[in-house]
Amino acid sequence: MDFSLTEDQEMFRGHIRKMLDTFGGTQVAREMIENKPENLKKLYHTLAELGCMAINIPEEYGGLDLESLDLVPTYEELGRSLVPGLFMETNALAVPILKKYGTDAQKQNYLSAVAAGETHISFAALEPFHDFSPQGIQCTLQQKDGQYVLNGTKILVPEAELAEAFLLLVRTSGDQEDGLALVLIDKTDELSITKQASFDEAKHVAKLDFTDYTITEEQIVGEADKGWANLQEGLLYFNAALSSYMVGAMESVVSMAADYANIREQFGQKIGRFQAIKHSIVDMKVHLEIARSLSYYANWVADTDEADREAAVYSARTYTTEKFIEASAQNIQIHGGIGFTEEIDCHLYVKRARYYDQYLGSTPFYQEKVVASLGW
Amino acid sequence: MDFTFTKKEEKFRTELRTWLEENLPEGWLEGKRDLPEDIEEYSRVLRDWQNKLYEGGWAAIAWPKEYGGRDASLMEEIIYHQEMVRVKAPPLINYIGIHMVGPTLIDMGTDEQKEKYLKKILTGEEIWCQGYSEPNAGSDLTAIKTRAVKDGDRWLINGQKVWTSFGHVADKCFLLTRTSNHPEKKHRGITVFLIDMDQPGVETLPIVQMDGHKEFNEVYLTDAEATDADIVGQLDSGWHVLIALMLHERTGIGAELFTLEQQFNDTVKMSQQYKINGRPLIQDPMIRQKMAGFYARIRGSLLNYYRNLTTTLKNGRPGPESSIDKLVVSELNKELSSFAVEIQGHHGVLWDQDAPADSKWQSLFLASFGQTIGGGTSEVQRNTIGERVLGLPKDMGR
Ligand SMILES: Cc1cc2nc3c(=O)[nH]c(=O)nc-3n(C[C@H](O)[C@H](O)[C@H](O)COP(=O)(O)OP(=O)(O)OC[C@H]3O[C@@H](n4cnc5c(N)ncnc54)[C@H](O)[C@@H]3O)c2cc1C
């Protein structure tokens, strides 16, 4: 038995961390708030040079053919600095789906480009006034004169301005899960993209409007009516990745809190000596370590066919989102007045925690999946 | 990452499993697990079980072979706990002897002490207790007042201990005493003695716990006797002995986690049986969310334990992170048993023979309050984690 990352994986973490430090940690996220994505783009370029995007791509498409677990250090480090972008949507959602269900042409086309760092794929599923359920998908894909036509609206599409392509979840028939399809479309000038305001301003989201937008059959990924089922498979990888990203972010929160408690003095002593503060940081730390263990396991189990695969991934997602929200909120309290300012990073983490908690399902939503997957 | 067990480990598991199936008390595997109410009887049954373990070579697997152990690896200990939990094996009455006193004596005891005690620990002939806490010294053991004074060639010990688990059945006590005063460095001047519980100077009075049981005691020491030969380690350096002893508890939390996991699975079964509005509880969305929450926490705690174990295996010793495990398991245990009683609705308050299925949950719920106190309170654990893992400033007074 060995429940740890390998030395290589830890070493790789070291490289990524160093690299992100040269970009100024959360500085990249802060620049996104000011709509300056230049450094983010540079950062992604460096990530590609380091081979990050190639990790889980088969060798025949220019990848390294490694496991999800090999991506964990990268996810965690990106989370530490709250780096936005499409790394997870691309490598942890679109890539596994393409690997499992894509046609040869799609794989050749997209996997190679992803591995080379040329293509970033965003994910468009959510729609106005609907939840993340099969019934919530109303954007239609209809056959017309040998072509396919898209109609409808997608919201909360992450980082549309950085994407070269979009993975879409659309309705082909009925109102159930067997009438849904996944399609991949390239970004072109004809696409109607409108930026949406998000309170996590470091994480850009957009609205995509489709009016008789035509695509070809070759753009459908996997069997047309298996879109929902295939997406669930992809979401296992995505949620495992997301939990690692949040673990990284939480680690940053815990060390911010501990560092501050070690320097800030009140009543003639370090505030970390007050147990109300000390114990609250300890609780954050305890939750962080448990979240980390859950997320390691989730990323490991995703590549296997273990019986607890779904339960493991979804419990990692729920536990981590919940505790990330708590810890990032408590971090503000521990910082006192300065914690409430824009100047200090505390707020960035609170916003990201909330963003992810409600992205593609909530805690109760995934808790239900845990229970259902266990057959209870 | 690799969650498989080696062939050798699997063989160990099969061997133990087979032995348990053949040697557990009559009817035990089928669920007949009643232990006698009467304390004498209870103690006899469990001593017999201890002796049976000894005869099978399963009494203290982590001890070196030369002292009657199996030199078991950490992984084998884990398997051992897993299997014991799986069959809901009878409680280990000599837990303190096997897991704490014995290993400490092997480590730092004299040849004479080893000769005198080790075998009797294994066979259950001598049950041990730990005499640390006193009315005014619990979390802060440096405040102990029980005094040992040299009188000719013997030591006379006077004072009072409290919360002494197993004190009523114990033959021997691992006793913390003060032998000299150091007002500045209070952890100095403490000495550990191995004393007889059935001597005239030792009086044991049971304390009734909130769950109705009497498992811990007050112990009054009035000119209780010991000799130099009963000192563990050096005179006045009992603090080191105590720390060494605590490090010997290598895998105990694992056993508690496996039990917790099993209890959680039992709550799942229970919530499939109990009905609300005519439907099984488990179909209620609120219950499902809570169950999912517990599932995540219990799996997470277990995985975290494995991760710390991996670090221990690699470094040869546990890191400070493992102090997280004790905090987590006792707090989680408290919440889970509370939940188990809560979901029984009005049935939840029924007790003993009138409890709906059995009063297991009610007992566990009440007993759980002891877990966040015994072995160091959750607050003290948090101090340790804060200071040793996170590097936060030291608590007051230290
Ligand atoms: C089931 C059970 C079995 C036990 N078995 C044994 C045994 O076999 N042998 C033995 O010697 N003892 C035993 N104990 C005693 C146990 O170790 C003590 O009860 C425990 O260490 C707490 O000490 P105390 O009871 O004096 O509480 P106190 O130390 O008085 O604590 C009271 C409260 O103050 C808090 N507190 C104390 N110090 C601090 C601090 N520095 N920071 C923050 N909060 C603090 C505590 O957390 C607690 O909430 C047992 C206890 C229980 C419940």
Side-chain angles (χ1 to χ4, degrees), chain A residues 49-67:
Chain A
E49 278 177 350
L50 285 169
C52 294
M53 279 93 176
I55 287 177
N56 62 338
I57 294 189
E59 269 175 51
E60 49 188 316
Y61 307 113
L64 299 168
D65 212 4
L66 295 168
E67 318 264 281

Side-chain angles (χ1 to χ4, degrees), chain A residues 275 279, chain B residues 96 130-135 137-140 162-166 209 216 369-371 373-380 383 395 398:
Chain A
Q275 289 184 352
H279 290 188
Chain B
I96 291 168
Q130 293 172 313
Y132 308 150
S133 303
E134 297 183 8
S139 300
D140 179 10
V162 74
W163 323 128
T164 316
S165 300
F166 303 103
Q209 299 167 185
F216 59 32
F369 289 88
Q371 290 205 338
I373 299 170
T377 66
S378 290
E379 289 72 23
V380 168
N383 286 347
D395 197 24
R398 278 186 296 146

Side-chain angles (χ1 to χ4, degrees), chain A residues 315 318 363-376, chain B residues 264 267-268 271-272 276 279-296 339 342-343:
Chain A
S315 45
T318 55
T363 297
F365 174 90
Y366 282 110
Q367 282 180 327
E368 174 54 37
K369 280 182 172 276
V370 170
V371 176
S373 73
L374 291 164
W376 296 344
Chain B
F264 174 68
T267 56
V268 174
S271 56
Q272 287 164 335
I276 182 170
R279 283 195 324 178
L281 267 181
I282 190 89
Q283 288 174 19
D284 178 87
M286 288 301 280
I287 299 284
R288 290 171 81 75
Q289 281 170 26
K290 283 195 177 176
M291 297 297 255
F294 277 117
Y295 178 84
F339 173 71
E342 177 199 318
I343 61 176

